[in-house]
Amino acid sequence: FCRFCYISNMNHKLFKMKKALTILFILLSTLCFSQEIEEKIVGLWMEYSKAFEYKDYDKISEHFRYPVVFHHKSNPTILNNKSELIKAYKNSRETIIQKGYKYSLLQKWKLSKISETKVILDVSYSRFNNLYEKIHSGRGLYTYENKNGDWKMSAVKTIK
């Protein structure tokens, strides 16, 4: 076995190892990036949910980018600005929502990446009254878009 063949074989093995490490590094950084985005989006949704609980309509409106599309039941609605959104949420929160509503809890979620700047958060949640009794279970799809590092909702679809 010649010395040149030995060195050539070692170089080839090192090249393969570098390639494998590079692929591993890329996969790990993608995983961390996704986890970071998921934590951010879920945190934003929880802030939004808390604002809904407290009837803080100005805070709710901060979570959206206009125009925003709402798909409730079969009729999509486009809200073009903050005042239209606040009016819709006030109506929903104070007249349509389940009687006795006090707070919501996030049950489970799944984040789907649509592109580098768009994700959909699939949320299952429960609503409770002031006696801690479950009065509703629901599911919604919340589309978030990132512009200049700022994630905001652009669409909400009620599943049930």
Side-chain angles (χ1 to χ4, degrees), residues 48-135:
Y48 155 79
S49 178
K50 189 59 72 177
F52 185 82
E53 177 183 327
Y54 289 124
K55 300 181 186 179
D56 188 344
Y57 304 113
D58 282 323
K59 188 72 170 170
I60 289 170
S61 71
E62 292 173 9
H63 288 270
F64 291 91
R65 183 166 286 116
Y66 304 97
V68 61
V69 180
F70 283 86
H71 297 272
H72 292 292
K73 299 181 181 166
S74 62
N75 301 327
T77 304
I78 297 173
L79 303 174
N80 293 299
N81 55 50
K82 180 179 176 176
S83 63
E84 288 180 12
L85 181 115
I86 287 175
K87 184 178 177 182
Y89 267 89
K90 204 174 242 188
N91 180 51
S92 174
R93 177 67 174 87
E94 296 177 15
T95 62
I96 298 172
I97 200 167
Q98 296 78 23
K99 187 175 181 176
Y101 170 78
K102 180 71 176 164
Y103 65 96
S104 299
L105 289 179
L106 179 62
Q107 301 298 314
K108 65 180 181 174
W109 69 88
K110 179 183 176 194
L111 188 70
S112 299
K113 184 177 179 183
I114 305 305
S115 71
E116 291 300 316
T117 59
K118 187 182 280 188
V119 297
I120 296 177
L121 184 64
D122 182 344
V123 172
S124 295
Y125 60 89
S126 294
R127 291 181 179 154
F128 296 84
N129 62 18
N130 59 355
L131 299 173
Y132 308 103
E133 299 166 326
K134 187 186 297 186
I135 57 174

Side-chain angles (χ1 to χ4, degrees), residues 14-47:
L14 285 173
F15 176 75
K16 281 180 134 180
M17 187 188 298
K18 275 183 169 179
K19 189 175 177 181
L21 287 173
T22 301
I23 291 170
L24 180 63
F25 177 75
I26 290 169
L27 289 173
L28 286 175
S29 48
T30 302
L31 179 64
C32 293
F33 180 70
S34 297
Q35 185 176 353
E36 181 181 324
I37 289 175
E38 184 168 347
E39 289 172 3
K40 174 74 172 173
I41 299 300
V42 171
L44 287 170
W45 187 88
M46 291 178 79
E47 287 175 12

